Amino acid sequence: MSTARATYRHGDLRRSLIEAGVELAREGGPDAVVLREATRRAGVSPNAAYRHFADRAELVDAVSDAAQGAAAAAIEAELDSVPAATGVESAQERLRAVGIGYLRFARDEPGLFRAAFGVPGGLERAFVSEKAGPGGSSPFALLAGTLDDLVRFGALPEERRPGAELLAWSAVHGLAMLVLEGPLHDLDEQTRTMAGRRVVEMAVRGI
Amino acid sequence: MSTARATYRHGDLRRSLIEAGVELAREGGPDAVVLREATRRAGVSPNAAYRHFADRAELVDAVSDAAQGAAAAAIEAELDSVPAATGVESAQERLRAVGIGYLRFARDEPGLFRAAFGVPGGLERAFVSEKAGPGGSSPFALLAGTLDDLVRFGALPEERRPGAELLAWSAVHGLAMLVLEGPLHDLDEQTRTMAGRRVVEMAVRGI
DNA sequence: TGCGATTGTGGACAGTGTACACATGGGAGA
DNA sequence: TCTCCCATGTGTACACTGTCCACAATCGCA
């Protein structure tokens, strides 16, 4: 944002570049994260970025982490709306909340969503702190925790727990991507939320 | 392919550009469909493309249609492996085949898959002949037909039929995208096929 | 105090999409 | 058969991108 600066050194260029990148991603997804524009917004020459990121892909990765943090925040917000309680009912309700939160984030912040989950990543960094929301957990961690609760309260047989993340995640992710950058691009709002509810229900029932 | 030509007129440049584009997409997905390279491969100057496509996006759309045709072929192949029969069992088996075929195509042709289903489109062109496979049906048509069979044979209550495509499609599409260009990028082959089977099962059960 | 590692700059290059003016020649009408 | 129109392809140019290389400024440590 600040295009002028007094000192030769920037101070915290890495953070500034990520913030600029997040703003670009918000407006146009991961492809809109253009390195030169980020440096421009940070008030710095294009090559300065290469002191902090090996190449554009690495900047996009950092932006993706931050975007996953924002997604975690959205999911946490949805989780907080579920009355805290133990038992099968409540655990299932929390799983629904995770799914709805995920889809809500996709609707409210399509650019950030695609930057968060539409960029190649690896599961080994799924719990890393850069991807965490205000509550300290990454989206994947929130989902995993909810599934653990399902097992604890007997709503999910232990032998079906391994890999259950992939099932639930696939369901909501698929709908989001079909709508955001797939053949369901111009699905109307109403059909979309209806489909969202049913997809979540399918996951809860079919895990 | 043919970098030389005798006549000033090309003959069928539009088709050549699409074919070159498909080849590029096969190697690197929709982003790899670069207009100048396509014209180069067609042995023509860059601007010649603009006589057949308004811009790059329109070329990518045409490539996407062709890629969906290839996807339809993969699904048809999987469907053909199901013994033809009537009844609930067989109808469900065909739904499984559609899902497995979709995922198999994503695994075997990741670039084409992303070009086919990772590009903004609209449902109004879902049945268009450019997206059809050898059998004459588009991927969406194949899925819809299979779901209709489920209803016909009493495996799916009529009131749940509307929008059922979205559910089944979301499940498999989500897994494919998470693996191809998402946080599950480097999931090993074994986990992947296992997840594929379970996702399909979730859809069959949870629709 | 001085020196070295960090961080930022300037210039350059290859590559992209696309706009504008121009060239070519196939085919319809005379 | 000749002629001209216009669909199709060419050439040049521009702004933009990621990234390489050599150089400059400064912060912090010896």
Side-chain angles (χ1 to χ4, degrees):
Chain A
M1 285 304 175
S2 59
T3 44
R5 75 181 193 282
T7 57
Y8 183 82
R9 297 298 222 271
H10 175 282
D12 198 351
L13 182 53
R14 183 185 162 86
R15 176 172 313 277
S16 291
L17 289 175
I18 295 179
E19 279 171 11
V22 164
E23 214 45 47
L24 290 169
R26 188 198 308 281
E27 295 160 18
D31 293 350
V33 178
V34 9
L35 194 143
R36 289 182 97 109
E37 176 63 21
T39 58
R40 221 172 281 137
R41 295 191 181 192
V44 118
S45 87
N47 285 326
Y50 288 88
R51 301 297 171 186
H52 302 273
F53 304 97
D55 53 14
R56 192 194 89 102
E58 224 171 64
L59 169 60
V60 173
D61 283 349
V63 168
S64 178
D65 283 356
Q68 284 200 35
I75 295 173
E76 286 172 3
E78 203 69 26
L79 271 174
D80 287 346
S81 76
V82 177
T86 61
V88 174
E89 303 290 335
S90 177
Q92 286 185 334
E93 203 54 40
R94 282 200 295 280
L95 180 56
R96 286 191 188 90
V98 171
I100 296 295
Y102 193 84
L103 291 173
R104 190 182 297 267
F105 182 68
R107 188 200 54 187
D108 294 342
E109 292 285 4
L112 286 187
F113 179 90
R114 285 160 54 214
F117 303 109
V119 138
L123 224 34
E124 66 284 347
R125 289 192 68 251
F127 297 94
V128 113
S129 73
E130 286 90 336
K131 298 177 189 284
S137 302
S138 70
F140 189 77
L142 291 170
L143 173 58
T146 305
L147 290 170
D148 287 342
D149 281 359
L150 279 184
V151 172
R152 178 170 20 251
F153 297 127
L156 180 65
E158 201 150 348
E159 69 271 16
R160 306 185 66 167
R161 174 64 186 82
E165 294 93 343
L166 306 195
L167 300 195
W169 199 359
S170 290
V172 288
H173 185 74
L175 180 60
M177 288 308 261
L178 283 173
V179 170
L180 290 188
E181 55 179 24
L184 301 184
H185 192 251
D186 50 2
L187 207 63
D188 61 290
E189 178 77 16
Q190 192 184 343
T191 314
R192 230 159 96 167
T193 56
M194 177 62 77
R197 267 198 284 271
R198 290 181 63 187
V199 160
V200 168
E201 223 46 50
M202 170 178 74
V204 170
R205 209 153 10 101
I207 267 177
Chain B
M1 295 300 174
S2 57
T3 44
R5 75 181 194 281
T7 57
Y8 183 84
R9 297 296 221 273
H10 175 283
D12 198 351
L13 182 53
R14 183 185 163 85
R15 176 172 314 277
S16 291
L17 288 175
I18 294 180
E19 280 171 10
V22 164
E23 215 45 48
L24 290 169
R26 187 197 310 280
E27 294 160 19
D31 293 349
V33 178
V34 10
L35 194 142
R36 290 181 96 110
E37 176 63 21
T39 59
R40 221 171 281 136
R41 295 191 179 192
V44 116
S45 88
N47 284 328
Y50 288 89
R51 300 298 171 186
H52 301 273
F53 303 96
D55 52 14
R56 192 193 89 102
E58 222 170 66
L59 169 59
V60 173
D61 283 350
V63 169
S64 178
D65 283 356
Q68 284 200 36
I75 296 173
E76 286 172 3
E78 203 69 26
L79 271 174
D80 288 346
S81 76
V82 178
T86 60
V88 175
E89 303 290 334
S90 177
Q92 286 185 335
E93 203 54 40
R94 281 200 296 281
L95 179 56
R96 286 191 188 89
V98 172
I100 296 295
Y102 193 83
L103 290 173
R104 190 181 297 267
F105 182 67
R107 188 199 55 186
D108 294 342
E109 292 284 7
L112 286 187
F113 179 89
R114 286 160 53 213
F117 303 109
V119 138
L123 224 34
E124 66 284 348
R125 290 193 66 251
F127 296 94
V128 113
S129 74
E130 286 91 336
K131 298 177 189 284
S137 302
S138 69
F140 189 78
L142 291 170
L143 173 58
T146 305
L147 291 170
D148 288 342
D149 281 358
L150 278 184
V151 172
R152 176 169 23 251
F153 297 127
L156 180 65
E158 200 150 349
E159 69 271 16
R160 306 184 67 167
R161 173 64 186 83
E165 294 93 342
L166 306 196
L167 299 196
W169 199 358
S170 291
V172 288
H173 185 72
L175 180 61
M177 288 309 261
L178 284 173
V179 169
L180 290 188
E181 56 180 21
L184 301 184
H185 193 251
D186 50 2
L187 207 63
D188 61 290
E189 178 78 14
Q190 192 184 343
T191 316
R192 230 158 98 167
T193 55
M194 177 61 78
R197 268 197 284 270
R198 291 181 62 188
V199 160
V200 168
E201 223 46 50
M202 170 177 75
V204 171
R205 207 151 14 99
I207 267 177

